[in-house]
Amino acid sequence: MSFLQQKQEATAELLDGVSVPAGAAWITSIRDTAMARVVDNGLPVRRDEYWKYTRPETLTAQDVVPAAPFDHGEAPMFDEIDRLKVVFVDGIFDADQSDALEGEGFSIECLSDIVNTDIHWAKDLYGQLEANGQNPVERPLAALNTALAEDGIIIRVTGKVSRPVNFIYKHEDDTSDAILHHVIKVEEGASFTLLENGPAAARFNKVLEVDVADNAEFHHVRAQGRDHERRAATHIFGRLGKESTFKSFTLTVNGVLTRNDCVLELTGDDAIAHVAGACVGDGDFHHDDTVFVTHDAVACESRQVFKKVLRNGATGVFQGKILVKPDAQKTDGYQISQSLLLDDDSQFLAKPELEIYADDVACSHGSTSGAIDEEGLFYLRARGVPKDIATDLMTLAFLAEAVEEIENGELADCILTRLEGWLERRRG
């Protein structure tokens, strides 16, 4: 029996008795097609090329590994920011804890409220970017999300929105298994900022599809939840039009297993896409960033900046690819992934890739892994700074390049404050 046949049979057994949720004809068709992709391709296993560094078993098993909610005693993330709050508890929208779903320059609805409507603008976008993102690399957990998600947020942005929308994911049930699918369409000339924070559930599968039209801007900052035992597989699919901007930053601390996929298509000339992440892992911690950026237009710019600080046996993974198609001349592609290993037990696994079919490009990638700079540490200690505080200062300096990718200074300061607090508590 071939490897693919084994995957398909195992997947069919796992999905036995599972059916797509009911809804209007348009979304039922999309869900059925997505489920067919899952059945045909199979759910991920360790032998899959893009899963060889990360064990997917607990993300695909029928039974959820219990994860206890963790009270970190901090004020809610982004609490000092004026924003529209949208709250989910174990993957279920909570209207009582959320603000009214309304605002100037955009419309916002729950997926559960539109799935039974015969006509809705989201039918041309829901699941479409995810489907595009299956080629050339299969992403079966994202297809499974499209097939089974019953809730999420649908946003259409028509103006320049100054007040961010904040998705807040709360975790209360030890065995919660949350699936959410969000769709955001940023119309021509519009701008929008999305914030996300919280652990969400014991196991979390999330898809975010973002269509950024010509001359539009999308900014995204998220802080993944602090619960020690949580597991998550998240996916961002983005499509960029002419002279558009897409910028996303992710902060991750804690979590037994986190896999963040980001798949971007630059389809309009002079588009800009920046994806960045900072992660700090301690002990039983596995964090995987997998990024695929396709340049399919002229004079586009992309940046991938990822920094990981690991200790006490933590594992960090980075898989990043820049694909430049033949007509994507004058491409500027930059990719850097670096890890700071604070002991001999931790490890960083990296697979940077460039695939270029155009001849007028400037593309580069680099990946480094090493211990803390002893010379810099000596310099600080010689000036009276205790070793543990000096180590934290150098850790923050190491992460700074990734945090600087956040365009909004207030949000960047918020992220740095949380990092400082986390390091201080670990020091204590």
Side-chain angles (χ1 to χ4, degrees):
M1 183 183 297
S2 70
F3 167 55
L4 181 57
Q5 287 176 316
Q6 290 177 337
K7 282 185 61 175
Q8 291 172 338
E9 287 192 6
T11 301
E13 182 179 348
L14 180 66
L15 296 178
D16 184 36
V18 176
S19 59
V20 302
W26 64 271
I27 197 165
T28 298
S29 175
I30 293 170
R31 285 168 167 169
D32 286 342
T33 302
M35 183 59 79
R37 288 198 297 274
V38 177
V39 173
D40 290 343
N41 298 326
L43 290 171
V45 296
R46 192 69 179 274
R47 288 178 61 188
D48 287 315
E49 175 65 20
Y50 277 83
W51 284 89
K52 66 180 182 180
Y53 298 133
T54 299
R55 301 187 67 89
E57 290 88 349
T58 56
L59 297 173
T60 59
Q62 287 184 331
D63 297 327
V64 177
V65 179
F70 172 60
D71 182 7
H72 48 68
E74 297 176 318
M77 193 73 180
F78 306 124
D79 204 34
E80 63 274 31
I81 306 293
D82 179 26
R83 75 243 194 255
L84 188 153
K85 296 182 292 184
V86 182
V87 180
F88 293 88
V89 179
D90 291 320
I92 300 173
F93 173 67
D94 190 320
D96 293 335
Q97 296 189 59
S98 302
D99 295 331
L101 297 187
E102 58 187 21
E104 294 185 6
F106 67 97
S107 63
I108 177 170
E109 303 167 272
C110 287
L111 175 64
S112 57
D113 291 333
I114 73 165
V115 293
N116 293 311
T117 60
D118 292 329
I119 300 176
H120 196 279
W121 64 264
K123 71 178 183 179
D124 295 325
L125 192 54
Y126 180 89
Q128 301 309 306
L129 300 188
E130 174 267 304
N132 294 345
Q134 299 291 339
N135 184 31
V137 179
E138 296 169 359
R139 305 179 194 277
L141 289 179
L144 185 69
N145 178 294
T146 297
L148 299 182
E150 298 188 63
D151 213 348
I153 295 297
I154 310 297
I155 298 176
R156 186 173 190 174
V157 186
T158 55
K160 295 186 179 297
V161 182
S162 59
R163 187 187 185 205
V165 171
N166 184 190
F167 296 166
I168 301 170
Y169 306 116
K170 296 187 177 183
H171 172 206
E172 295 181 358
D173 187 341
D174 286 10
T175 57
S176 54
D177 190 11
I179 300 178
L180 291 175
H181 195 116
H182 307 306
V183 176
I184 300 177
K185 182 176 179 62
V186 188
E187 300 281 11
E188 183 174 353
S191 63
F192 184 76
T193 298
L194 173 67
L195 309 177
E196 296 185 280
N197 64 282
R203 182 169 67 183
F204 188 34
N205 182 333
K206 186 198 73 178
V207 165
L208 170 64
E209 296 182 287
V210 184
D211 187 31
V212 189
D214 297 349
N215 300 292
E217 294 185 9
F218 175 78
H219 296 271
H220 176 228
V221 179
R222 65 174 167 175
Q224 295 182 304
R226 292 278 309 283
D227 289 24
H228 295 297
E229 300 167 340
R230 66 171 179 81
R231 289 169 166 80
T234 76
H235 315 79
I236 299 174
F237 296 94
R239 181 171 60 196
L240 284 69
K242 181 179 179 181
E243 297 180 1
S244 64
T245 299
F246 177 106
K247 292 188 177 182
S248 176
F249 172 86
T250 300
L251 169 68
T252 306
V253 294
N254 296 358
V256 170
L257 174 61
T258 304
R259 164 78 175 225
N260 294 326
D261 279 57
C262 183
V263 183
L264 302 179
E265 299 177 90
L266 286 72
T267 61
D269 297 347
D270 298 293
I272 296 173
H274 291 191
V275 188
C279 118
V280 185
D282 192 345
D284 189 10
F285 173 93
H286 186 105
H287 187 272
D288 181 340
D289 284 303
T290 296
V291 182
F292 199 115
V293 177
T294 300
H295 286 258
D296 196 13
V298 176
C300 293
E301 170 189 312
S302 69
R303 285 175 58 87
Q304 301 174 39
V305 180
F306 288 87
K307 301 291 189 85
K308 300 180 190 291
V309 178
L310 307 167
R311 64 182 177 186
N312 295 330
T315 298
V317 176
F318 174 78
Q319 301 180 103
K321 183 165 185 174
I322 300 173
L323 170 62
V324 182
K325 293 193 174 181
D327 294 331
Q329 303 294 348
K330 302 186 183 302
T331 286
D332 181 0
Y334 174 77
Q335 179 194 97
I336 186 72
S337 60
Q338 296 178 314
S339 72
L340 180 62
L341 305 180
L342 298 181
D343 57 41
D344 295 332
D345 297 325
S346 301
Q347 62 176 337
F348 177 57
L349 308 169
K351 189 177 76 169
E353 297 178 88
L354 299 177
E355 187 174 344
I356 302 170
Y357 297 99
D359 53 18
D360 183 8
V361 303
C363 291
S364 64
H365 68 74
S367 182
T368 64
S369 183
I372 201 160
D373 180 13
E374 292 295 336
E375 184 176 337
L377 191 62
F378 174 80
Y379 178 88
L380 289 172
R381 295 191 68 190
R383 280 148 182 79
V385 181
K387 182 179 179 180
D388 52 357
I389 296 177
T391 300
D392 288 353
L393 288 173
M394 296 190 68
T395 297
L396 288 170
F398 172 78
L399 296 171
E401 183 183 0
V403 179
E404 287 170 359
E405 290 294 310
I406 302 174
E407 191 165 301
N408 183 298
E410 187 178 10
L411 292 174
D413 289 343
C414 183
I415 293 294
L416 284 172
T417 299
R418 290 307 170 112
L419 277 170
E420 291 171 357
W422 190 90
L423 291 170
E424 183 178 350
R425 282 187 298 276
R426 290 291 175 175
R427 188 194 318 149

